[in-house]
Amino acid sequence: MYLGDAEVFRTSTAEPTTNGIVWTYIKEMSQYNALWKERQKLIFDLGNLISDVYTGSFNATLTALFSQRGTTIRTADMILPISARKSASNASSALIVPSDNVEIAYRLPSNTTRAIVSISACGQSTEEFWWSNVFSPDTESFVNTVGELYGYSPFRELQLYIDGLLAGVIWPFPIIFTGGVSPGFWRPIVGIDAFDLRQPEIDISPFLPILTDGREHSFEIKIVGLEIQANGTARLSNSVGSYWVVTANIFLYLEDDAPYSTTNHSDELMIIAPTPQFTITRLLTKDESGINDTLSYSVVAERTLSITSNQFTWHQSLKYSNSGLLNQQGLSQANHQLTSGEISAAKLGVNGSTDDLTFEYPLVVNTTYGITDTELTIKAQMDRGLDIAATGGTGVSTYTLTSGPSRLHTRQWGSAFYHSVIGGGSTSAGDTTDVFESIAQQPYHRTVRAINGSVVSDTDVRPQPASFQTIQDVLLSSGRDSVRSIIGRGPGGKNQHSM
């Protein structure tokens, strides 16, 4: 969803159920008050594919509720989009990386006292399940059984540059859209954040002595993975596969007595950005007949970044690990990933303050495919989570989705099964549990379990009757002959995304 050229909401669709495809989502939008206060062109772009297999059309209703309550929360005075800026032609302003160059120039007001960039980015096509990708030299390890694998490693980094200087990085959350991994997981529980993709934030206030000099300055976003060097070590790649959907917004806070003038203070900026450290392993083994049988690989990464000027500091300390294993000649894959970080944005001086944030993204996914001349099966297990603790910062965060101190813990785990007869019908089953705990303005806790499309327990409402059916009677649909044609990854033909 866009207000003019600025993206303000990224969402996705629900998985089909026996009761239809109907869902409602309510989103706080106060962080975009600067846009709502002016006349805007509203563009809601929800992509759809109509074919002999996909026959559904969308009926979407958008409702805005405006209230004077909570007006004491400070929100940005100006929002500048980093996007394709196509609203004039009634089109989405999303940029596609790596084919598009995500760079734009702005002249910031001289009375800017705080500046924050929020970045919205998610992988699609060969990058949708980037956390399960392998190193590029290994993409053809099982070409005779599952086809070409996707490369650039399971590590991704989003980089923000200002005038060519690194201003901050984001190690992304592994979003899984409905249908992803195995469809049975997501009926009716959807993946974490699938209905509201968070926008991680980078505080660029340390750059204000430069940005408020009355000149235009460039803002550029890059997405990189890893590439293998001749000596067997890994370094950041220049690009990634196809493709990432990217936009960003620059939130500006203005004051009449801003401390900066039109004088260039570039000598006040100090950037400490050592090269990130990577430790990798790769091992490809063959069976007795000399055919590739298993591929194991791992990535361990650490990175720190500190940026300081005369009034602000921005510090990041990030850690990442991913161990992957493909066996049965690529028909079975397991990935164990953990991303964590500590972030601090501080305003220096007598009236200074510090905004701290920590996060952790655990992910375990195991899938096994069964393929014969007449049948296709998927067996999958997953255990994943999202943990955020924040002291609160300026305005309403596009990342924590609230203002002030907050804590969030959510975890999903379960198993799912899919069976399809080539050219015939298919069945899908799943057992998923979701725990959600939040402490913000008020505490909230909820635990929900769904089996085979029915909610069997829910701590927030009266439990519904259990619907224990045999797999053959669960959710019937037309059969598909390719894993990739269902969920966008795994053995099979042309890739499609699962949104």
Side-chain angles (χ1 to χ4, degrees), residues 486-499:
I486 304 167
I487 63 173
R489 70 184 289 262
K494 185 177 181 181
N495 177 281
Q496 295 180 18
H497 67 75
S498 59
M499 283 182 66

Side-chain angles (χ1 to χ4, degrees), residues 43-197:
I43 297 175
F44 186 67
D45 179 28
L46 188 60
N48 196 15
L49 174 66
I50 302 295
S51 68
D52 57 340
V53 176
Y54 302 105
T55 59
S57 59
F58 295 137
N59 181 5
T61 300
L62 302 180
T63 302
L65 174 64
F66 296 91
S67 173
Q68 293 297 316
R69 292 180 297 176
T71 54
T72 57
I73 299 175
R74 176 73 187 275
T75 57
D77 300 289
M78 182 181 295
I79 300 174
L80 305 175
I82 301 175
S83 69
R85 295 191 289 185
K86 294 182 178 179
S87 64
S89 56
N90 297 324
S92 161
S93 291
L95 291 157
I96 305 301
V97 176
S99 57
D100 290 337
N101 182 27
V102 186
E103 185 173 9
I104 196 169
Y106 281 115
R107 181 181 293 109
L108 269 57
S110 60
N111 61 334
T112 303
T113 60
R114 197 86 187 229
I116 297 170
V117 174
S118 68
I119 299 178
S120 185
C122 59
Q124 294 284 265
S125 187
T126 68
E127 290 287 304
E128 180 171 355
F129 301 94
W130 51 268
W131 45 266
S132 66
N133 287 16
V134 301
F135 292 106
S136 294
D138 300 319
T139 55
E140 297 185 359
S141 297
F142 307 106
V143 67
N144 293 327
T145 53
V146 299
E148 184 178 2
L149 304 173
Y150 302 141
Y152 297 98
S153 87
F155 173 85
R156 292 294 179 271
E157 178 176 270
L158 283 65
Q159 303 170 335
L160 174 64
Y161 290 88
I162 296 177
D163 292 340
L165 301 174
L166 186 63
V169 299
I170 292 168
W171 289 7
F173 175 75
I175 193 78
I176 299 178
F177 295 109
T178 51
V181 180
S182 183
F185 284 128
W186 318 119
R187 298 182 174 121
I189 297 172
V190 299
I192 297 171
D193 287 359
F195 280 167
D196 191 359
L197 277 68

Side-chain angles (χ1 to χ4, degrees), residues 131 181-182 185 325 327-328 331-336 363-369 378-383 414-416 489:
W131 45 266
V181 180
S182 183
F185 284 128
L325 173 66
N327 57 20
Q328 301 180 34
L331 290 173
S332 180
Q333 181 171 4
N335 285 91
H336 293 235
L363 172 71
V364 177
V365 174
N366 191 335
T367 52
T368 300
Y369 306 113
I378 306 173
K379 296 180 180 179
Q381 296 85 37
M382 65 90 186
D383 191 340
S415 59
R489 70 184 289 262

Side-chain angles (χ1 to χ4, degrees), residues 331-353:
L331 290 173
S332 180
Q333 181 171 4
N335 285 91
H336 293 235
Q337 178 173 290
L338 178 62
T339 309
S340 62
E342 299 178 357
I343 298 174
S344 177
K347 182 178 181 181
L348 308 177
V350 177
N351 297 319
S353 61

Side-chain angles (χ1 to χ4, degrees), residues 420-438:
S420 173
V421 177
I422 306 302
S426 67
T427 57
S428 182
D431 182 342
T432 301
T433 301
D434 192 304
V435 174
F436 187 94
E437 298 174 346
S438 175

